[in-house]
Structure formats: C-alpha cells, structure tokens
Amino acid sequence: MSERKFRQVGTRPVRHDGLDKVTGRAQFGADYSAPGMLWGKVLRSPHAHARIRGIDLSAALAIDGVKAIITGSDFPELKSEHGGGGGEGAGDMRDLALNVMARDKALYHGHAVAAVAATSAHIAEAACAAIRVDYAPLEPVLTLERALAPDAPILHDDLRATGDEPLPKGPTNVASRREMGRGDVTRGFAEADVVVEREFHTPMVHQGYIEPHAVLARTGEDGRSVVWCCTQGAFMVRAYSAKVLGLSTDMIKVVPTEIGGGFGGKTTVYLEPLAVLLSRKSGRPVKMVMTREEVFRATGPTSGTHVRVKMGAKRDGTLTAAEAVLVYEAGAFKGSPVGAAMMTVFAPYKLANVKIEGWDVVVNKPKVAAYRAPGAPMAALATETVLDELAAKLGLDPIDLRLTNAAHEGVQATYGPKYRAIGFVETLKAAKSHPHYRAPLGPNQGRGVASGFWFNAGMSSSANVAINEDGSAVVMSGCPDIGGSRASLALMAAEELGIPVERVRPVVVDTESIGYNDLTGGSRVTFATGMAVIEAARDVVRQLRARAAQTWGIELDAVAWEDGRAVAANGAEGKHEPLSLRQIASRAAATGGPITGRASLTARGAGPGFATHLCDVEVDRETGAVKVLRYTAVQDAGKAVHPSYVEGQMQGGAAQGIGWALNEEYVFDAKGVMENAGFLDYRIPVASDLPMIDTVIVEVPNPMHPYGVRGVGETPIVPPLAAVTNAVQRAVGVEVRELPISPPKLLALLEHAR
C-alpha cells in the first residue's frame, strides 16, 4: 500500500464548494426561510441554580402575534437511557431532554425555561419578557472544589456516583469515578532516579465556531416535520430530537445546511427540538437563531479541569512509572470527556507501570460538549510539561527523552490495545531535524516542544456514487462538510473511477436520501465515509466492466479497468478498442440502465494520530504579554488525501490551542453568570496574534485503510497547550500551572518569582 502510486489522491484541487462559499451563494443555517414562517425565541434562566416553582404564561399569550409557547410541561418525561445515533454527542437522553428545556430546576445561567413562536422576532422577545417565572434561587456550585466539598449543594437529588470504589455514598455531585492502569507504580517510582509531580488547572473554553446555531422546522398536516439546521450530524439531530419529543424517527426529516464551524460543538441538539415542538403546536414553520451571547451561555464548552500528574525516570531517560488523577467538570449534567482524557493522558509513551484515575463532576455551568479531541488537550498539558521538567532535571534534550519512551508498532497502549503501524517516532524525528528546532533565541524568548495523541474514529457511513450520461460522477454522503471532506471524498471516487476530480460532484444529502451516517466528528469522515465511497466506486467499476463485457460479448473476467477505461484483458488483449467511462455511460440505457454504486459499512481500524509541535514565544516582562514568534506542527496523516486541507486542520488546531493556552476562559461571577459572553471579551486568536504556522505532514500508512488514511482533525489541538506553556516557562523561568497564561496571571507569577 505504501508503494501505491496515486493519480488524484494527494493532489490539491480547488474545493468543489469553494466558489459558492466565497461568493455568498452557499446557504448556512440562518439563510433558510419558509412562507408563513414564525420566529422562535428562548427564555433563559437568570440564575445558575434555582428551583422553578411555577411559570405564568398568561401575559405572554395575550400579546398579539404570539402563536405558541412551550415549557418543560410540554415535553414527555424520559427515563435515563444512553442515546442512539453514536458519535461524540451520545449521552443520557433524559439529561439531553432536561438540558434542552428545564423542568423543576434551572441548572445554569442561560438554561432554557420556555420558548415562544411569534410573527416576528421582536414580538417573540417581548413575549419572553412577559413570562413570569417563580424561582427559588439556590447556592450555585461553580468550582470542582465546592462540588466535592462534604457540604456542597447537590445539583441532582437522584444522582449517585458510579464506577470504581471508593465512591461517595448518597446524593452527590460526582457522576462517576474510574480507575485504569497496569503494573506496579509504587515499584516503578522506587526505580526512578528523578520524579516530578505537578498539578494543573484549566478553565472552561468554547469551540468559538463563527456560525451561531440556527434551525428552521416545518410540520405538515400529517405530523411529519422537516428540519433544516447547521449541524455536524443530520441523523443525530433526527434521533435526538425524536427521542426528546417522544416521536419515532420517521416523523422527522433533517436537511443539513452548510455549517460555519463546529469543532464538536454541534454534535448535539439545543434549538432543534424546540423548533419542531413550536412548529407542531402552531401549525406553522418556525425559525430560531441563537445570538452570540446565547451560544456562550447555553451551548456546550469543554470542561474546566484539575489534573495531577506524577512521572518517574531513570538517568538515561527511561520512564519507570506514571500516575494521573483527572477531575473534569461535566457542566450541569453528567458526561465530561474524562474517559477519553484517561485513555490519552499517557498514550504516546511506553509505560510498564501506570495508574490513572478519573472523576466526572457536575457543576452549575453549561453542559459540556465535545471540543476537538475531547478531554485530551488538558491531559496532554500535564504530561508534556512534566516530561519537559524531567528532561531539564536529567539534562536531556526534550525530544530525545520522548524518543526514548515513544510508542511504536507492537507497543501496548496505556489504554489497552497494541498499536499497529503508527507515526509518533517519525513526528519526533521530523521535529528534531526541522530548522525551527535549532534556530537561535533572544532574550526573554523560549522554545517549547510537546506531543499529542488522538484515537480517531470509524463508525457507520453510507455513500452512493452515480454516473451521469456524460461520464461525470456524483458522490452522495450524509456527512456535513466542516473540514474539506467534499474534496477528499471526490478525490477518492476519482481515484477509483480513473477520471479527473473535477468530473466528480460531491454532495451532502438529507436523512431520507441516503443510508445512515454517524455524525461528522471523531476525525472519521475522510477515513470511514471515504471507505464507503471507495466501495461504492468499486461497485460502479464492476458495473462498468460488465457493460463493456456485454458490449464486446466476452466474459467479465476478460475486462479490466485502467485509467478510466475498460480494456480487454486475460487473453482478449488487442481484440477490442478500449471503452471510456463516457462512452459506456452514454450507452447505459441500451446496456441495462443507469449505473449507480452504493456502500454502507461500519469502519474498523481507525489509525491513531500523533503530532509533535514546536513553539517559540517572547515574554514582555513589563506587561506579561506573550507573543508567539514561530510555530511548527508535525503530524502523521497516514496518507494526506488533500494535503492543503490536512495542513489547514493542523494550522486550525494549533491556532485554537494557542488561544486556549494564552487567552481563552469562561469568567463567571460569584452568582455563576458568565461575564465575557461575547467575542470582545472572550478573546480567540485573530490573524495578528499568530505567526505563520508551519506544517510538516508525515505519512505512515494506516494498514486498516485502502489508501492508508488516518483522521487528522483532532490531533493538532492536543499538543499546543503544553507547547506554549513549556515555551513560556523556558523564556522566563517560572512554573506555569494554570491556563490561560494571560498577562495578569503571568505578571503575578513573575512578581512572585522575584
């Protein structure tokens, strides 16, 4: 496979949807409207923790133009049940329903308590203001320390801790406690010449996607609803909305619109069930669009965390033991990404003695959602900064220390399986040999290195490939395109068919036009849906060969497919002129009818992704400002189907990670109100904050994919938190144990160090 020569895969064509995107023709969530449409608005809790004693809708219902109002009493009661649909957004369906609309308790500032449909957005807002909610405010639980205190207020009276003993007894804010590991860490630390133990705190941060959540729902006289929305998973929206509303899935059709970013934040539902229910109640289409403030207050950021990591090594750098305790905020409902954090925290390294403990804890903040490699960046921050300190204490080059302990093919991962072919060592070697690594540094400048790991995912995908009469092709999938997957799927189809990629049109279709697809998440689409496209295209090629065999009057085995043409083979060489795809397609009606291939599969063997990043910073000791001078991201892509989009994923992940390290955080007041719910105060990096992020693509083929592909979308956000932190620490010689490294926090550390 590694020696295969590709004609289309690995090239950099202009993306098929590019012109529509840059000219404004592409339609995103808020671009959809319908005749007779109403506007929906949500009334949200002004309290982070409050009991709802009653809701009076009379004044709101009396407003002219108000057509429907819904509260928690309009929804069915659900039992606790793990959700179908798969993917990163799957969780407890009862929790999902209670997050969509509060019942007897508001559990975070911004929690939905009612929704209105009216003839204008202004009237809907006025009606929300007229709704009277009788709240009994309760003490909000805003930190992990408070949530775990013996006298902490309890968010859910029925929540009981699950997992591995020892567990809290009775009502608790601990949703689960888990342990994993192997070997004997006590003996391992005893064998170490140097041991480093550190604790780290990271705040909640948001994915920062540009497009707010938006939905249009229309319900017909037969009770069936059509939903247009910006989402990472149309089938997920169908399944979750149906579950929340007590409907069968066939009562809802979901049409995915273009999506202006997701990064995991659009792998669940917020507005969609509300719009469907308002539409069903009013009998008219209902459109809902979140404000930016609502996106921050009422959708899922990722967890705030408290992580402790301890690692020991011999003088030659060999790691002898590692231990981690990861405590993750889940937000108002159980289900933080601490499980993934436990599995990734030491995944890049060979470790015989390892112990990992994870806690999932509820607090009065928005329910967390997936964010690009969920849980892994915070875990890697701890591991990679401890490794950096170990290297310094041992007098070793930080990359050499990692190379000494790097996982490779045949090594048993700390989370269980043995690795197949992986490219971690190759990323370390590429980083070490990069000119960036030996470039000189000036005063108050430092260089950080860090590595990261992500599993990647397979899951279920379907794809159709149809041949047009002119020999061009259409590739259909049900996976929304948020990272260039249209282009990657088209390239794979073109590769199999042997035609230029410009002759392939990739389209994303609705839930009734194709078989089931899991959502776009887990870095799975180019890998898994790509496999389905390859299978569907090969189905087409078999049909094309059969049509040629029929035309020539020979056996199917005597026809081969080469460079987009059917050619005679196996003893028939030279007896027939080759038939191009165009020629076969033009005669399809005479040889059996339209030519369409299809495939549905559950993909296995998603190759893990590894990356190593280099970061140079300069610290202004007077202001505490950190400037990123140079950044290089090295990552194993398996096979880069469209190298430009692989590079874009690497650059995007690095940019988000740099923002997470230096500026981004949810700031809450004492009552649990987010104080920076807008892009003016929640500061993501802009172009002027970043240098050109250099990329190096390593290609170690994934043996479980026909082309060697492995996912690339999530791994690049794992190393930056540690790479930036290590660079800052080396620049100014202070220990950084809390993110973000904002100017006030860094100034305080510098002052303390004097």
Side-chain angles (χ1 to χ4, degrees):
M1 178 174 55
S2 60
E3 298 177 354
R4 175 170 178 170
K5 302 298 182 186
F6 294 98
R7 289 179 176 270
Q8 299 293 329
V9 167
T11 62
R12 302 172 186 254
V14 174
R15 62 187 301 163
H16 298 71
D17 52 334
L19 193 59
D20 282 352
K21 294 280 177 64
V22 299
T23 58
R25 283 204 302 262
Q27 288 189 285
F28 292 80
D31 292 327
Y32 284 79
S33 297
M37 182 183 80
L38 303 175
W39 284 87
K41 291 290 180 180
V42 179
L43 176 65
R44 301 188 180 277
S45 170
H47 303 287
H49 195 191
R51 196 165 297 283
I52 299 172
R53 293 184 293 210
I55 302 177
D56 181 358
L57 305 179
S58 57
L61 286 168
I63 296 175
D64 188 30
V66 172
K67 301 299 182 185
I69 301 178
I70 56 174
T71 67
S73 63
D74 293 287
F75 291 78
E77 290 295 326
L78 299 182
K79 295 181 179 178
S80 185
E81 171 192 358
H82 192 271
E88 294 179 337
D92 189 299
M93 289 294 101
R94 180 171 178 267
D95 288 349
L96 175 71
L98 294 177
N99 191 40
V100 165
M101 183 66 79
R103 308 299 203 268
D104 61 340
K105 247 187 170 187
L107 291 163
Y108 56 93
H109 181 268
H111 197 171
V113 297
V116 175
T119 51
S120 74
H122 175 72
I123 293 173
E125 289 171 352
C128 284
I131 295 172
R132 296 289 172 257
V133 183
D134 182 11
Y135 292 105
L138 304 168
E139 179 191 337
V141 179
L142 301 175
T143 65
L144 289 167
E145 291 75 15
R146 183 64 182 135
L148 297 173
D151 64 341
I154 300 298
L155 271 69
H156 304 278
D157 294 336
D158 59 348
L159 181 64
R160 299 293 182 273
T162 61
D164 301 317
E165 296 287 354
L167 294 169
K169 306 302 179 188
T172 176
N173 292 320
V174 177
S176 68
R177 176 189 171 278
R178 307 282 179 186
E179 284 187 14
M180 59 184 289
R182 63 168 178 260
D184 184 340
V185 290
T186 302
R187 187 183 65 193
F189 284 122
E191 293 172 351
D193 294 308
V194 177
V195 175
V196 174
E197 182 175 6
R198 293 286 179 263
E199 294 186 43
F200 304 84
H201 291 85
T202 66
M204 273 190 163
V205 297
H206 199 272
Q207 299 85 349
Y209 37 81
I210 299 303
E211 181 197 24
H213 298 255
V215 59
L216 170 68
R218 183 189 68 202
T219 302
E221 288 73 10
D222 58 358
R224 299 187 73 253
S225 299
V226 182
V227 176
W228 293 262
C229 62
C230 47
T231 176
Q232 292 178 238
F235 291 86
M236 174 275 297
V237 171
R238 184 180 71 172
Y240 289 6
S241 297
K243 182 66 72 174
V244 168
L245 298 173
L247 301 171
S248 59
T249 52
D250 72 314
M251 296 299 287
I252 298 176
K253 170 184 174 180
V254 178
V255 184
T257 69
E258 296 294 345
I259 176 173
F263 312 111
K266 291 175 181 169
T267 57
T268 187
V269 294
Y270 300 104
L271 296 179
E272 292 85 350
L274 305 183
V276 170
L277 188 53
L278 286 169
S279 174
R280 294 173 70 86
K281 198 165 184 176
S282 66
R284 292 169 62 170
V286 175
K287 179 174 180 174
M288 305 180 80
V289 181
M290 281 193 182
T291 63
R292 178 60 57 188
E293 182 177 339
E294 285 181 296
V295 171
F296 275 114
R297 296 194 192 285
T299 67
T302 192
S303 302
T305 69
H306 177 197
V307 179
R308 179 175 63 81
V309 161
K310 179 180 178 182
M311 303 181 81
K314 294 182 178 179
R315 295 199 185 283
D316 66 356
T318 304
L319 294 174
T320 60
E323 191 175 71
V325 179
L326 306 110
V327 188
Y328 276 44
E329 295 176 356
F333 299 94
K334 62 181 179 288
S336 75
V338 71
M342 294 172 67
M343 296 168 73
T344 58
V345 62
F346 299 129
Y349 303 105
K350 295 179 288 186
L351 282 163
N353 305 302
V354 60
K355 181 181 178 183
I356 305 165
E357 179 182 344
W359 294 67
D360 182 34
V361 181
V362 296
V363 293
N364 287 119
K365 296 178 181 178
K367 167 73 174 75
V368 302
Y371 180 11
R372 224 170 176 166
M378 309 83 118
L381 166 69
T383 299
E384 296 296 315
T385 50
V386 166
L387 280 173
D388 208 59
E389 190 169 338
L390 274 174
K393 288 181 179 296
L394 292 167
L396 297 174
D397 178 280
I399 291 183
D400 285 343
L401 175 65
R402 288 168 172 82
L403 278 168
T404 299
N405 299 284
H408 50 75
E409 186 173 4
V411 168
Q412 186 175 18
T414 52
Y415 62 90
K418 286 188 177 180
Y419 290 116
R420 294 188 175 93
I422 56 175
F424 182 34
V425 169
E426 286 77 3
T427 69
L428 287 165
K429 290 180 177 177
K432 189 175 181 184
S433 63
H434 196 283
H436 181 169
Y437 199 54
R438 299 300 174 200
L441 292 167
N444 297 314
Q445 295 180 359
R447 175 166 300 137
V449 57
S451 298
F453 160 90
W454 185 246
F455 313 92
N456 299 322
M459 304 192 291
S460 297
S461 286
S462 301
N464 294 354
V465 175
I467 302 300
N468 294 322
E469 309 89 282
D470 64 355
S472 61
V474 177
V475 174
M476 288 180 280
S477 82
C479 299
D481 180 358
I482 55 175
S485 57
R486 280 191 181 93
S488 65
L489 300 183
L491 281 163
M492 293 187 198
E495 189 72 44
E496 292 296 325
L497 297 174
I499 61 177
V501 69
E502 291 78 12
R503 298 281 290 166
V504 179
R505 195 71 196 164
V507 295
V508 179
V509 297
D510 62 71
T511 54
E512 294 183 352
S513 299
I514 199 165
Y516 180 82
N517 278 270
D518 275 312
L519 49 72
T520 300
S523 298
R524 65 168 222 91
V525 172
T526 296
F527 168 75
T529 309
M531 290 175 74
V533 168
I534 290 169
E535 288 299 317
R538 289 176 177 175
D539 183 13
V540 166
V541 169
R542 282 191 289 272
Q543 295 176 52
L544 292 168
R545 289 173 52 226
R547 302 299 175 93
Q550 179 183 350
T551 301
W552 292 333
I554 61 178
E555 297 295 320
L556 176 61
D557 289 347
V559 181
W561 190 256
E562 295 178 358
D563 301 331
R565 304 180 308 168
V567 296
N570 291 341
E573 294 90 340
K575 298 178 181 176
H576 305 280
E577 288 295 319
L579 288 172
S580 69
L581 196 159
R582 184 192 297 268
Q583 289 173 308
I584 298 172
S586 66
R587 300 187 66 249
T591 58
I595 300 170
T596 302
R598 60 180 182 274
S600 294
L601 51 82
T602 296
R604 309 291 184 192
F610 290 86
T612 298
H613 288 195
L614 305 174
C615 175
D616 292 357
V617 302
E618 182 175 80
V619 176
D620 185 330
R621 288 179 175 271
E622 297 300 318
T623 65
V626 177
K627 182 176 179 60
V628 179
L629 301 173
R630 186 172 182 178
Y631 202 99
T632 301
V634 185
Q635 184 172 327
D636 175 23
K639 175 62 187 176
V641 176
H642 192 306
S644 295
Y645 297 145
V646 172
E647 292 162 356
Q649 292 289 336
M650 294 165 67
Q651 292 167 326
Q656 287 184 306
I658 291 169
W660 195 340
L662 294 179
N663 292 304
E664 296 181 38
E665 62 179 321
Y666 268 46
V667 178
F668 293 95
D669 69 12
K671 295 182 178 179
V673 179
M674 185 183 179
E675 294 183 307
N676 58 337
F679 277 140
L680 279 178
D681 298 311
Y682 183 95
R683 196 172 182 286
I684 63 174
V686 297
S688 58
D689 294 319
L690 299 170
M692 175 63 192
I693 296 172
D694 195 8
T695 57
V696 179
I697 299 174
V698 170
E699 293 186 321
V700 176
N702 172 13
M704 300 300 288
H705 188 278
Y707 296 172
V709 170
R710 58 183 90 231
V712 298
E714 296 175 271
T715 305
I717 202 173
V718 183
L721 279 64
V724 173
T725 301
N726 286 337
V728 171
Q729 292 182 145
R730 286 175 178 265
V732 293
V734 299
E735 289 184 7
V736 176
R737 301 298 173 225
E738 182 180 354
L739 298 186
I741 315 172
S742 58
K745 290 179 181 174
L746 187 53
L747 277 178
L749 291 174
L750 292 171
E751 182 65 28
H752 181 74
R754 285 175 184 166

